[in-house]
Amino acid sequence: MSLTDQIDVFIQNSIRIRGNGRTIYIDPFRMKEEPHDADFVFITHDHYDHFSAEDIAKVAGDATTLVVPARMEDKAAKVPVKFSRVYTVKPGTAHEVDGCKFETVAAYNNMKPFHPRSSGWVGYIFDVEGKRVYVAGDTDATREAQEVRCDIALVPIGGTYTMDASKAAGLINIIRPEVAIPVHFGSLVGDPSDADTFASLVESPVEVVRKIEF
């Protein structure tokens, strides 16, 4: 089984990655089940469709570590879950927490007001089974995003609050991962057909894999 097969995208930027004997959730949202199997929950920023206390509680178990941007520390304390630890991060830093290696990448809008750079919100690059997996979060094709080196990239394509399909494809054609997975489209923002536009603009040999099911 390839690592791509171990990645699930539920809605928006709600993602699960299984590997290295761990289960990682990023921005759990509108979870249909309550697996309580998370070793780690990573949050990119505090908007309601990315930081949902209700959904964090659905995936958190008895020994879950919560990772949030530094400015979210007070909000994280209000989640009704007893975490093994709450760990805060800033953009552009590298970490190893309980054996989980990851880096943070600044996530912000260039010309829109929704995700200001000053908020300190992040995307993440995870080291999973020898691959670098980039979860961009809500971002435009920023300088920091263009400098990412990864094997698998999960990028938003819905527009309005993030890159649209065309700009996201442009970012992928710059960073050139092995696999690109579109997220953050087809529900609250964007249309399911955005994935077709994205796939048509991503250049070979990058493989576009669709994970969200409508």
Side-chain angles (χ1 to χ4, degrees):
M1 179 182 294
S2 71
L3 180 56
T4 304
D5 294 328
Q6 297 165 224
I7 298 174
D8 300 295
V9 181
F10 302 103
I11 185 175
Q12 292 290 88
N13 199 55
S14 179
I15 296 162
R16 178 175 62 202
I17 303 173
R18 291 172 167 151
N20 297 343
R22 299 182 179 89
T23 299
I24 295 171
Y25 287 84
I26 303 95
D27 295 349
F29 180 59
R30 292 186 181 174
M31 300 300 295
K32 295 179 179 179
E33 300 177 349
E34 299 186 21
H36 299 294
D37 61 348
D39 295 294
F40 295 88
V41 175
F42 287 81
I43 302 298
T44 61
H45 65 291
D46 67 2
H47 289 171
Y48 79 95
D49 54 330
H50 296 261
F51 177 63
S52 166
E54 174 185 358
D55 292 288
I56 293 171
K58 288 180 180 179
V59 303
D62 295 332
T64 300
T65 295
L66 177 66
V67 181
V68 299
R71 289 195 175 187
M72 290 184 60
E73 187 171 11
D74 290 344
K75 289 188 176 183
K78 298 177 182 178
V79 178
V81 172
K82 186 177 181 181
F83 298 104
S84 65
R85 68 189 296 186
V86 175
Y87 190 85
T88 62
V89 296
K90 294 182 178 180
T93 53
H95 306 264
E96 182 171 351
V97 181
D98 298 331
C100 179
K101 295 180 180 180
F102 64 94
E103 301 167 23
T104 60
V105 181
Y108 60 92
N109 294 134
N110 286 322
M111 302 295 291
K112 304 173 184 178
F114 308 110
H115 305 91
R117 185 175 185 175
S118 60
S119 293
W121 292 332
V122 300
Y124 295 96
I125 304 173
F126 301 99
D127 184 351
V128 184
E129 297 187 356
K131 299 289 187 179
R132 288 170 60 83
V133 182
Y134 176 40
V135 177
D138 279 13
T139 190
D140 286 326
T142 64
R143 174 183 58 80
E144 292 89 342
Q146 293 177 34
E147 292 174 351
V148 165
R149 294 296 174 261
C150 63
D151 302 291
I152 300 172
L154 294 95
V155 294
I157 69 168
T160 305
Y161 306 105
T162 70
M163 297 177 282
D164 61 15
S166 175
K167 291 181 179 178
L171 173 63
I172 291 299
N173 292 336
I174 291 172
I175 65 176
R176 301 187 66 78
E178 297 172 5
V179 175
I181 300 174
V183 302
H184 208 279
F185 72 101
S187 54
L188 303 185
V189 291
D191 186 88
S193 65
D194 291 338
D196 297 325
T197 302
F198 177 72
S200 71
L201 295 172
V202 170
E203 298 171 356
S204 178
V206 179
E207 178 186 4
V208 175
V209 176
R210 307 181 195 206
K211 285 288 186 173
I212 295 180
E213 296 182 4
F214 300 102

